[in-house]
Amino acid sequence: MPEPTVLYVLNGPNLNLLGVREPEVYGHATLADVQALCEAAADGATVVFRQTNHEGELIDWIHEAREKASALVLNAAAWTHTSVALHDALKTLTIPIVECHLSNPAARERFRHRSYVSPVAAGVVSGFGSFSYELAVKAALRLVQERTGAAGRSNQTT
Ligand code: DQA
């Protein structure tokens, strides 16, 4: 029996204020709206969707994802640009990581151009508002499928 797919979708600081925080940058969808979009895009996979304003809590959830998740979609918000601790925690994962942003940080202030997540991510989806999350979930599912498929094929040849 194949293992059930579990996607962790983790969100960093200030994303609890989505919908009211700089809507001209981040849009009008709330975090609850984004969660619903992720669940709809997940095609029956389990979605563990969380947000925190505490960096250590995010690190703990990443450690949890090591044990429990098939893939991780991460919008680390401002910690993307600042956190070596986050980078180090992500490096311990062997599951696919998809970096996700509502805005396109590369087209914004210089301090947002550095990402401590990108070097350990399979890919980045940014700039599409809440649609970024749907695309990121789809990408994560595809990466999980590819891994499962690859394992199946290598079993057949041995
Ligand atoms: C963000 C982009 C970050 O630069 C910013 O600090 C955020 C949100 C985004 O989703 O566009 O808080 O990650």
Side-chain angles (χ1 to χ4, degrees):
M1 272 264 281
E3 304 245 318
T5 300
V6 180
L7 293 184
Y8 270 48
V9 182
L10 300 182
N11 297 279
N14 304 307
L15 291 171
N16 55 310
L17 296 178
L18 267 190
V20 290
R21 170 193 180 211
E22 299 181 79
E24 67 287 0
V25 177
Y26 299 116
H28 293 278
T30 65
L31 197 62
D33 295 333
V34 170
Q35 178 170 2
L37 289 172
C38 289
E39 285 165 356
D43 206 20
T46 299
V47 175
V48 175
F49 189 98
R50 296 181 190 154
Q51 186 275 333
T52 182
N53 293 322
H54 304 277
E55 189 173 349
E57 188 165 43
L58 181 65
I59 305 282
D60 287 343
W61 290 345
I62 289 167
H63 294 176
E64 184 185 310
R66 282 185 72 220
E67 310 290 330
K68 298 189 177 163
S70 317
L72 169 64
V73 172
L74 176 64
N75 184 353
W79 294 326
T80 306
H81 317 300
T82 62
S83 180
V84 176
L86 174 63
H87 174 88
D88 286 348
L90 292 170
K91 259 183 131 167
T92 71
L93 300 186
T94 56
I95 56 170
I97 300 165
V98 180
E99 179 178 352
C100 175
H101 301 281
L102 296 142
S103 67
N104 177 4
R108 299 179 63 195
E109 304 96 317
R110 227 179 138 75
F111 64 84
R112 297 185 203 275
H113 295 183
R114 162 173 283 180
S115 169
Y116 286 96
V117 176
S118 296
V120 288
V124 185
V125 184
S126 63
F128 301 106
S130 50
F131 188 43
S132 290
Y133 280 78
E134 293 182 64
L135 294 170
V137 163
K138 290 290 181 200
L141 284 177
R142 175 68 66 89
L143 292 169
V144 172
Q145 266 168 17
E146 281 175 6
R147 285 192 172 198
T148 315
R153 275 194 295 283
S154 75
N155 285 347
Q156 283 163 18
T157 55
T158 51

